[in-house]
Amino acid sequence: MVSSSLAGADAAFQEALRRDDPAELYDRAPCGYLSTTPDGVIVRVNATFLAWTGHRREDLVGRGRFVDLLSVGGRIYHETHYAPMLRLQGAAREIALEIVCADGRRLPVLVNSVLDHDSDGAPSVVRTAVFDATERRRYEQEVLAAKRRAEESEARAVQLAQTLQQTLIPPTPPHIPGLDVAAAYRPAGDGRHVGGDFYDVFQVSTDDWVVALGDVQGKGAEAAVVTALARYTVRAASVDHDSPSEVLRTLDHVLHSSETDRFCTAVLVRVRRSEGTWRATVACGGHPLPLLRRAGRSPVRVGEHGALLGVLPHARFTDTEVALKPGDALVLFTDGVTEARRPGQFYGIERLLAVVDEHRAAAAEVTDAILADVMTFQSGDARDDIAVVTVAVH
Amino acid sequence: MDTVQKHNIRVSGVPGAQPVVFAHGFGCDQNMWRHVAPHFEDAFTVITFDHVGAGGSDLSAYDPVRHGSLQGYAEDVLAIIDDLDLKDVVLVGHSVSAMIAVLAAVAEPDRFEKLVLVGPSPRYTDDAGYSGGFTEADITELLESLDSNYLGWSSAIAPVIMGNADRPELGAELTASFCRTDPEIARRFAHVTFLSDNRADLADVTVPTLVLQCTDDVIAPVAVGEYVRDAIPGAELVMLDATGHCPNLSAPESTTAAIAAFVRG
């Protein structure tokens, strides 16, 4: 048994070898073969290529050029990429083209070509192998379409986030006669995601202004919804209530009754001028206390801590009133400043107090100095949003 | 950004001599000129460069707005000329760079002494009374063809040296980045190249111009070359005995001879 099956295998081997002489191998190879002059005139073509495309040998050899067999897009690609690569590199590999068949049908193919040279080094012949790539091309087109959809969707999401962000962050605070106001905002990470920090500076009536700064828990679209809700609630409630603690109480109620389970922190300062003197009323809800820096003295925290907004059932908020004299300043900030981290270390309140103590010129100077120092501290990689608003009296 | 790095500029030939600037077309990079440009090093300052987005250029300098029209590419060429302080320039533009050269010469004619347009076409798509050779559907098909071929190309292309064991004369500087670029940039450049219409600019060229035309160019047919010659005041046309769109590669000797006869004469 064993010896007869071996003898059979040997016979099959000999038969296959005999039938697959070089001419057969060329003509009936499982890929198309074409040879052309360096300028592309077809000089030889195998039976497989003719069977795939329906072209007749006599129409191609000596008459047609390879480029003429391609779809128009493929011709341009051939002239601008394929032919230059072949000329300069001597080979072109895995080029995706479409052959126009005799009946007009398109055959997607992958093409490898080599340019051979004569003994003087002059180009002599181009040998091309053509592989049917119908299924592969269909798959590639699906992949490409999916990639494009993903890219478009990503671009839309980024644009939406940025647009949303712009609506939430007033780029520059308004000019308030008699006050010097500056603000800075830097989103965490690459700045492509909607952050949770916000600030707002708006007028209620003549010489009556509100400065609000807050931090909504989390990021992204849901946080942005809460940010917008908080901001507009503060604006609306400030018309009804003079007291910032009352405004925070309203905001607390609104967050409780809204469908979100997110919470936020905020500091509100009502700044009013009467008889030439500015007075500030400060109220805090779960937020770091702002800093008060009097002319010629070290900065201190001002106000009383209040509850997180939208969390506790009977939250209490307290107003603290201070008179602001020329040279005094209030600095509002989010925890992205004090909780900025580097290995083994928080930025902390002491470092912030030192920066505020040192920079006493315009509001913009101390605001920019804080942002710059916090960014330097974290080596430019902010893990949390940073927002700072400074209000100084001229 | 340094212009030399931005455009991967190479300067050779005789320092201080009249400059010949070679601008490559859509598809590949300045290596397209490697069989032609060296023949001018005996008497000229020879400058080759890569358009932003091609070859060894700084991809980060690509600006979708500036490079959203051929005018932006022409401004790039003028910036190169300005930064290198070149005067009496001979500008040789192949393919789309022929029209870039036209725009540059129209904008600042005093900079140029001569223009050589190799395989120019002021408009690739057909229009009423004008045959550019392509329909808009053809251009859409080209973009698909680019997509198929750029599919596997990474946007960060390491300049890997090609193994050309059998053709060592190609040297080490020809890298895999030849004809390869960021797929998105290539797409945009294809749009700008094949959908521009610069026919109206041709009449404004005041610089002496030579058109080099191949006999069998599927991209810029003979009739289009003749259109360019007729539209540019005083332009001459020389037919090259070459097939295809890249005589600088397929027929470098006759291309060189035709340019030399024009610029050395």
Side-chain angles (χ1 to χ4, degrees):
Chain A
M1 270 310 276
V2 171
S3 73
S4 89
S5 94
L6 271 180
D10 189 48
F13 181 86
Q14 293 301 335
E15 174 64 7
L17 192 60
R18 188 182 64 77
R19 289 185 60 88
D20 206 33
D21 63 45
E24 281 286 297
L25 175 65
Y26 176 82
D27 230 15
R28 296 166 57 83
C31 64
Y33 282 133
L34 287 160
S35 305
T36 72
T37 65
D39 282 339
V41 176
I42 296 167
V43 296
R44 198 191 284 273
V45 57
N46 77 345
T48 306
F49 184 87
L50 298 172
W52 282 354
T53 62
H55 287 297
R56 297 185 307 171
R57 193 180 303 272
E58 57 268 35
D59 293 335
L60 300 185
V61 173
R63 309 172 75 156
R65 288 190 306 157
F66 178 59
V67 68
D68 298 329
L69 299 177
L70 304 177
S71 65
V72 177
R75 278 182 215 169
I76 299 176
Y77 189 84
H78 179 280
E79 291 299 300
T80 54
H81 292 73
Y82 177 97
M85 278 193 272
L86 201 52
R87 284 280 179 177
L88 277 183
Q89 301 178 337
R93 299 186 190 94
E94 291 188 55
I95 306 298
L97 297 169
E98 283 187 338
I99 305 276
V100 179
C101 301
D103 60 4
R105 190 171 42 88
R106 304 284 186 91
L107 177 68
V109 292
L110 279 181
V111 172
N112 285 356
S113 292
V114 290
L115 174 63
D116 218 340
H117 297 78
D118 63 20
S119 51
D120 298 331
S124 57
V125 62
V126 177
R127 297 195 187 88
T128 297
V130 177
F131 301 90
D132 184 343
T134 309
E135 287 302 320
R136 172 167 289 266
R137 194 66 47 80
R138 197 171 294 146
Y139 169 69
E140 284 173 357
Q141 278 163 355
E142 282 169 16
V143 170
L144 203 60
K147 178 170 175 275
R148 199 156 287 153
R149 276 198 303 276
E151 283 167 355
E152 282 168 9
S153 147
E154 166 86 7
R156 270 201 306 274
V158 168
Q159 202 199 0
L160 181 65
Q162 284 168 348
T163 309
L164 216 50
Q165 191 78 76
Q166 290 309 312
T167 66
L168 295 176
I169 306 296
T172 45
H175 173 69
I176 306 178
L179 292 182
D180 178 16
V181 184
Y185 174 78
R186 192 202 182 280
D190 60 6
R192 279 157 48 126
H193 298 281
V194 178
D197 284 8
F198 66 95
Y199 63 77
D200 201 1
V201 179
F202 60 93
Q203 185 170 25
V204 181
S205 63
T206 308
D207 285 342
D208 185 357
W209 292 77
V210 173
V211 180
L213 180 137
D215 183 359
V216 173
Q217 175 239 356
K219 283 191 168 303
E222 208 194 323
V225 169
V226 177
T227 304
L229 180 66
R231 213 175 123 190
Y232 290 108
T233 302
V234 167
R235 283 203 167 216
S238 295
V239 176
D240 283 344
H241 303 288
D242 285 348
S243 145
S245 65
E246 283 295 327
V247 175
L248 287 182
R249 196 162 297 125
T250 307
L251 176 57
D252 186 51
H253 281 301
V254 167
L255 289 175
H256 270 297
S257 53
S258 80
E259 287 183 359
T260 179
D261 52 3
R262 287 177 192 266
F263 54 89
C264 84
T265 73
V267 53
L268 294 190
V269 183
R270 186 92 175 212
V271 195
R272 278 169 288 199
R273 177 160 60 177
S274 67
E275 295 166 4
T277 303
W278 286 102
R279 301 192 70 79
T281 313
V282 178
C284 267
H287 198 89
L289 297 179
L291 305 182
L292 171 64
R293 189 194 62 205
R294 300 237 182 247
R297 296 168 64 178
S298 299
V300 292
R301 279 172 275 194
V302 64
E304 290 188 36
H305 289 287
L308 274 177
L309 297 160
V311 179
L312 302 173
H314 303 289
R316 290 172 55 84
F317 309 98
T318 314
D319 287 329
T320 303
E321 195 167 303
V322 292
L324 294 178
K325 301 184 192 70
D328 291 352
L330 278 170
V331 178
L332 289 64
F333 58 93
T334 52
D335 60 8
V337 173
T338 42
E339 291 176 14
R341 255 176 289 176
R342 66 184 179 199
Q345 220 180 345
F346 279 106
Y347 184 82
I349 187 72
E350 295 305 328
R351 186 159 170 153
L352 176 61
L353 287 167
V355 173
V356 173
D357 200 13
E358 187 184 339
H359 298 274
R360 288 180 177 265
E365 194 220 9
V366 67
T367 306
D368 294 346
I370 294 168
L371 186 64
D373 194 47
V374 174
M375 292 313 294
T376 307
F377 182 83
Q378 308 177 98
S379 310
D381 179 24
R383 292 190 185 191
D384 197 1
D385 303 338
I386 297 166
V388 179
V389 177
T390 303
V391 181
V393 180
H394 282 310
Chain B
M1 181 72 208
D2 175 34
T3 314
V4 172
Q5 285 175 29
K6 180 177 164 187
H7 289 286
N8 189 25
I9 294 173
R10 287 178 222 169
V11 180
S12 59
V14 182
Q18 184 180 24
V20 183
V21 177
F22 291 92
H24 70 83
F26 167 75
C28 301
D29 64 19
Q30 62 185 296
N31 281 296
M32 293 295 289
W33 293 111
R34 60 186 298 125
H35 298 323
V36 172
H39 296 293
F40 293 85
E41 288 169 351
D42 62 332
F44 298 90
T45 305
V46 173
I47 293 122
T48 58
F49 69 96
D50 295 334
H51 284 300
V52 167
S57 69
D58 176 17
L59 295 189
S60 70
Y62 183 83
D63 175 350
V65 177
R66 179 182 176 96
H67 298 110
S69 75
L70 293 185
Q71 195 65 44
Y73 287 92
E75 285 165 17
D76 279 356
V77 171
L78 291 170
I80 291 170
I81 288 170
D82 203 39
D83 282 14
L84 299 183
D85 196 22
L86 306 177
K87 295 183 176 62
D88 305 322
V89 174
V90 175
L91 179 54
V92 184
H94 174 228
S95 193
V96 68
S97 277
M99 283 309 118
I100 293 169
V102 162
L103 291 172
V106 168
E108 294 186 28
D110 296 345
R111 292 284 196 175
F112 300 96
E113 193 190 83
K114 284 171 180 168
L115 291 188
V116 181
L117 312 181
V118 184
S121 172
R123 179 180 164 119
Y124 291 96
T125 52
D126 300 336
D127 190 26
Y130 174 84
S131 175
F134 299 99
T135 63
E136 293 211 9
D138 293 338
I139 303 308
T140 306
E141 202 183 277
L142 164 70
L143 296 177
E144 283 168 12
S145 169
L146 290 179
D147 285 342
S148 303
N149 280 293
Y150 290 167
L151 192 69
W153 293 11
S154 159
S155 53
I157 302 146
V160 180
I161 306 301
M162 287 288 291
N164 270 302
D166 51 338
R167 298 198 65 200
E169 77 277 11
L170 287 181
E173 79 271 33
L174 184 61
T175 68
S177 67
F178 176 67
C179 284
R180 290 199 162 200
T181 185
D182 175 83
E184 193 50 40
I185 296 179
R187 232 187 125 73
R188 288 171 193 262
F189 193 23
H191 260 278
V192 173
T193 297
F194 290 103
L195 295 176
S196 288
D197 184 352
N198 296 100
R199 288 174 295 173
D201 298 299
L202 300 175
D204 296 333
V205 175
T206 54
V207 179
T209 299
L210 170 69
V211 173
L212 292 186
Q213 179 66 46
C214 295
T215 49
D216 236 330
D217 185 344
V218 296
I219 293 193
V222 174
V224 171
E226 290 170 348
Y227 179 97
V228 172
R229 176 201 57 198
D230 295 343
I232 296 179
E236 316 167 28
L237 184 145
V238 169
M239 286 294 294
L240 294 175
D241 185 18
T243 55
H245 186 57
C246 303
N248 38 2
L249 289 180
S250 64
E253 296 84 4
S254 51
T255 306
T256 302
I259 298 173
F262 183 63
V263 302
R264 292 180 198 261

